[in-house]
Amino acid sequence: MLDLAALQLDPEVTARLPDGQEIVRHLTQSRKRTVHDVLREAVRSGTPAVQPRCGVGGHAEMLALLRGLEEGAEPDILTVTIDSHTRLKHFATAAMTLREDPRRLNGYPLVAHGWERGRELNDSVRAPLEVRHGSPDARELFAVAVASGITSFEGGGVTYNLPYAKDVPLARSLRAWQRVDQMCGELAQAGVIVDREFFGSLTAVLVPPSISLAITLLEAMAAAASGVRCLSPAYPQGGQIHQDVAALRSIAELAARYLPADVEVFPVLHQFMGVFPADAGTADALILYGALAGRLGGAAKIINKTSQEAHGIPDLTANVNGVRTSRMAISGFLDFVTLDEERVAEEQYWIQREVSEIVEPVLSGSNLLDDIDTAFRRGQLDIPFSASIHALSQVVPKRDSGGAIRYFDAGRIPLSGASADFNRSRLDMTGDGAGDVFIASIKRDINYFATSGHRRARHISEGERQWTV
């Protein structure tokens, strides 16, 4: 029997939930495909699943959005994106805002709506649902999600803390997420596989691939130790296709090296999470570019963007068109596109070497969660441009001349001399890493795809001269 008491939930939330036995019964008797089923089929077919983001406050509006997306684009997985009040466990504020004006919510307040409405969302569409949010402590949200019949839940104690929260101690968020993962382990023993996705996008600002992969790998290891059987490490498109493909392909190899053999691992690509082009045509080209990188990299799933990213929350039409654009990129339409495999292999070698240099000192300790916390305190693990005081943010990333993201300064991350030399060899190391000129160069790197029209087109094409037809 599923023991919800182990989650140590807010009593008001617990009082409104069905018991664990009923939750398991509902999940096991459901005829609907799970996210795990979809990911398995994507791997078998060699075609990534496509998933848009979406979330609005009102229940009727959320139902209409999900149904409209399914009717217009037939995505493989659909999203319930959660509002910021619920993410921070301000459940009363979310409920009050829902009553007064749901349009003021920037997502769906699932805890306030409750599991019965959650089941209505899940039953209203053929595609399985995933909850995406950004909460350092998602125990209540997770309980309502599984009671709703939702079979995929994103986040982790690092990836949903340090990029989002200013002052939530890592020890607290890591332990809260450990309870979520333990509950996923109990569900797995009862025959229910919940997909756990890890948010490798982090701050979405010039994240070196090895940082993204190292942190999601550590979260995946912690989840597997708690009994999770379906792991989806997500990597954010950086913008240089050889590096992005190499990073995606590295996920399976790193999983084979560091994760138990009895877990399933599904690489996920987030289409470009940085500053998006304002021009709709260029934005669509970037979406096509990202989906192509996902297919060539062997992603099991692609999280989709839209042409309206630069202008606010995308509407239904933009989401439908974004999914259709990605479908074109992962179809046989672009089968003629190949890459310089020697260049990809070189990137894979250095990415995997850097990941090992980052994670192995953490794994040398005796308690993984404590050792992750300690590593961040010391700067041995770090995230550039973090909002949190619990990350040193001493890493300074830069793009090289081809657009790949490198370490200008690795801070206290324990890269070897060889890895540091490789990064230096790919960068223009003139200047001391300070001053207005250097800051301007960082801003240019952040706005890599959001520059003037002719430069945007050049950035998407020049870095890919190695494509062969």
Side-chain angles (χ1 to χ4, degrees), residues 122-179:
N122 193 44
D123 292 342
S124 71
V125 287
R126 294 183 300 276
L129 303 183
E130 177 182 41
V131 166
R132 312 185 74 88
H133 47 112
S135 177
D137 181 353
R139 288 173 292 160
E140 286 83 3
L141 179 59
F142 173 77
V144 179
V146 294
S148 301
I150 294 172
T151 56
S152 182
F153 200 74
E154 186 188 30
V158 177
T159 57
Y160 264 8
N161 178 351
L162 300 186
Y164 287 96
K166 181 179 180 180
D167 187 12
V168 176
L170 262 178
R172 185 190 305 169
S173 60
L174 288 166
R175 296 299 174 189
W177 277 95
Q178 183 183 42
R179 293 186 185 278

Side-chain angles (χ1 to χ4, degrees), residues 9-139:
L9 304 177
D10 180 322
E12 291 188 8
V13 175
T14 303
R16 297 194 299 270
L17 286 169
D19 63 33
Q21 185 175 358
E22 198 281 336
I23 291 173
V24 171
R25 182 169 57 249
H26 176 75
L27 287 163
T28 54
Q29 292 179 355
S30 173
R31 296 182 179 180
K32 184 170 181 172
R33 290 203 304 168
T34 66
V35 170
H36 177 233
D37 294 330
V38 172
L39 295 173
R40 274 185 161 182
E41 176 56 32
V43 171
R44 282 195 294 266
S45 68
T47 302
V50 180
Q51 176 182 351
R53 295 175 175 85
C54 61
V56 291
H59 182 64
E61 292 80 4
M62 188 71 203
L63 277 170
L65 180 55
L66 292 174
R67 288 167 175 162
L69 281 166
E70 186 154 88
E71 180 180 352
E74 296 185 348
D76 302 286
I77 300 166
L78 280 164
T79 299
V80 179
T81 300
I82 304 301
D83 69 290
S84 55
H85 295 307
T86 301
R87 297 175 195 181
L88 297 175
K89 301 181 65 154
H90 299 161
F91 305 129
T93 304
M96 180 182 68
T97 308
L98 178 63
R99 290 191 300 269
E100 293 177 351
D101 186 0
R103 294 171 297 180
R104 288 165 45 203
L105 294 164
N106 62 347
Y108 186 81
L110 179 59
V111 174
H113 280 295
W115 61 272
E116 289 155 309
R117 284 186 170 182
R119 286 189 185 180
E120 187 178 358
L121 291 183
N122 193 44
D123 292 342
S124 71
V125 287
R126 294 183 300 276
L129 303 183
E130 177 182 41
V131 166
R132 312 185 74 88
H133 47 112
S135 177
D137 181 353
R139 288 173 292 160

